[in-house]
Amino acid sequence: MEKLTNAEIIKHVKTMSALELKELVSAIEAEFGVTAAAAVVAAPTGTADAAQEEKQASSIYLKEVGAAKVAVIKLMKEKLGMDLMSAKKVTDAVAEKPQLLKENASPAELKDLEEAFKAAGAVVEIK
């Protein structure tokens, strides 16, 4: 079996959708018995601007697909880089619980995504 370089792995990971990345992390955790929880780091005591910016970065969740499911799936492909099957799985799973679309996004990006999904008839929530 050919050994991949770190650069090749990173290049491939960049092409993956959020759902695919989540599945990959879960598979790695299960295979190696580790957890991908972020290490807790004390916030810098420097400027309040950095802390405020960190607080503003958050996630967007899909709560309801709405009547235009196909439009929402297309939007997920365009805005989030998901493939067709991943986007369909996310829209189907919304019936059970809200689905994470993107995390650690900038406020501007969140606003853009929120407007786009609402225009498509979906209900989203920013946390």
Side-chain angles (χ1 to χ4, degrees):
M1 186 165 125
E2 180 182 328
K3 184 175 179 179
L4 298 174
T5 65
N6 289 346
E8 291 171 324
I9 293 169
I10 291 169
K11 182 179 177 183
H12 180 70
V13 167
K14 285 181 178 181
T15 65
M16 298 173 77
S17 69
L19 182 60
E20 290 171 326
L21 287 171
K22 182 178 181 252
E23 291 171 351
L24 175 63
V25 169
S26 295
I28 290 171
E29 288 175 336
E31 179 71 24
F32 298 104
V34 296
T35 179
V40 177
V41 178
T45 57
T47 65
D49 291 339
Q52 182 66 19
E53 185 177 321
E54 188 174 319
K55 276 186 180 178
Q56 290 178 350
S58 56
S59 304
I60 186 165
Y61 291 82
L62 181 63
K63 291 183 77 174
E64 294 178 27
V65 177
K69 183 176 181 179
V70 173
V72 173
I73 290 172
K74 285 182 180 179
L75 191 59
M76 292 168 82
K77 289 176 60 183
E78 292 171 15
K79 295 280 187 179
L80 303 172
M82 287 186 179
D83 61 68
L84 180 63
M85 290 305 297
S86 297
K88 184 176 179 329
K89 285 179 185 178
V90 170
T91 57
D92 290 342
V94 168
E96 294 179 28
K97 68 177 186 173
Q99 297 295 304
L100 176 65
L101 294 177
K102 181 144 186 149
E103 56 187 346
N104 299 328
S106 69
E109 185 178 14
L110 289 172
K111 181 126 178 91
D112 178 52
L113 288 170
E114 180 181 35
E115 289 173 0
F117 278 96
K118 284 185 176 180
V123 177
V124 292
E125 178 181 21
I126 295 176
K127 292 185 180 179

